[in-house]
Amino acid sequence: MFTIRVNGVEHTVDASEDKPLLWVLRENLKLTGTKYGCGQALCGSCTVHVDGQPTRSCVMPISAVGNKQIRTIEDINTEHIGSLVQQTWQTLNVPQCGYCQSGQIMAATALLKNNASPSDQDIDKAMSGNICRCGTYPRIRKAIHKIAAEQL
Amino acid sequence: MPPNFANTIRRIVSSSLLIAAGLISSQVAAQSPLFQPLFEVLTHPRCLNCHTKTDFPRQGDERRRHAQLVVRGEDNHGAPTLQCSACHQDENVADGAVPGAPHWALAPLSMAWEELSPSELCAVLKDTSKNGNRNLEALFKHMSEDELVLWGWTPGGDRTTPPLSQPAFVEALRAWVDAGGPC
Ligand code: FES
Ligand code: FES
């Protein structure tokens, strides 16, 4: 049994110690907004915040979570910047198929919280681990710049 | 110029040529046989890929640039919001696909070992202004006990390991330290 804090709520889950956080979120807690892409930390679709840091939940064993605060896409709009990111994603129609986008939004939110006016280079460094099969990268970049320029 | 002075100059020039030749040949083998086995371990990709002189780590035995444009970052732990720990856990995970060990990070640039000759690497290794202020005994402790160093011998997946076994490395390290760290 492990007790973890997800989106401000404590949950006790019955899971083996090596079960990845991603599958605890999706199966045990039914938080299916976080997506499975590769299971090997290669694509970023499973990105959640662990104490504010974007983390690949597909490779983080539940036993490594401890007291850290997990935040997922389901709750990111409760943060000011998270909700700006989601709104701007809608305004600019950033998603195509959408599969990678919860990971993109988690990564973009963390970037903008850390850096209110990221350069293209800052965006590359922060976002290059989040792969989009649909190639929405130009719209992601545009949305991040728009938020930084107009709202931060 | 008096002839004996010219001779002196000639001697200095030729001896510095000899020293230069010695430096060049030291690219191939360490001058101290006690350092040679250590050099072979420290320049193995498992060690060198994160002891880079670049602003990014490398991966694989071919030492390609780390995928996903991973960068060194100011504190050697990656970009501010794409940290090494975004993927690297305290242990190897995903059936060994993703390597991990405690305090996963690049070595600081002062400890960059890429393209150093054995004598250069030896000097950098011992230089307390570059090595985190470690004397030989502290180096021994770090290199024989640190979990991230030890990961080099349990890298997971089908990754290769350094040419010496870990116990043989510790033995070679002991001999080198006991001899005063000859380069
Ligand atoms: S599913 Fe985790 S990085 Fe791809
Ligand atoms: S929107 Fe389809 S994978 Fe990114």
Side-chain angles (χ1 to χ4, degrees), chain A residues 94-101 104 131-136 140:
Chain A
V94 171
Q96 186 69 30
C97 80
Y99 201 83
C100 70
Q101 296 293 338
Q104 305 285 2
I131 311 300
C132 175
R133 292 171 302 180
C134 302
T136 62
I140 291 171

Side-chain angles (χ1 to χ4, degrees), chain B residues 75-112:
Chain B
D75 64 352
N76 307 302
H77 282 79
T81 60
L82 185 53
Q83 299 263 288
C84 303
S85 59
C87 303
H88 296 282
Q89 300 291 319
D90 284 354
E91 57 190 344
N92 302 328
V93 291
D95 295 327
V98 186
H103 63 93
W104 194 271
L106 283 104
L109 281 170
S110 69
M111 296 184 217

Side-chain angles (χ1 to χ4, degrees), chain A residues 22 35-46 56 58:
Chain A
L22 171 65
K35 304 302 182 196
Y36 166 76
C38 66
Q40 299 192 354
L42 298 169
C43 74
S45 68
C46 66
R56 306 302 183 239
C58 69

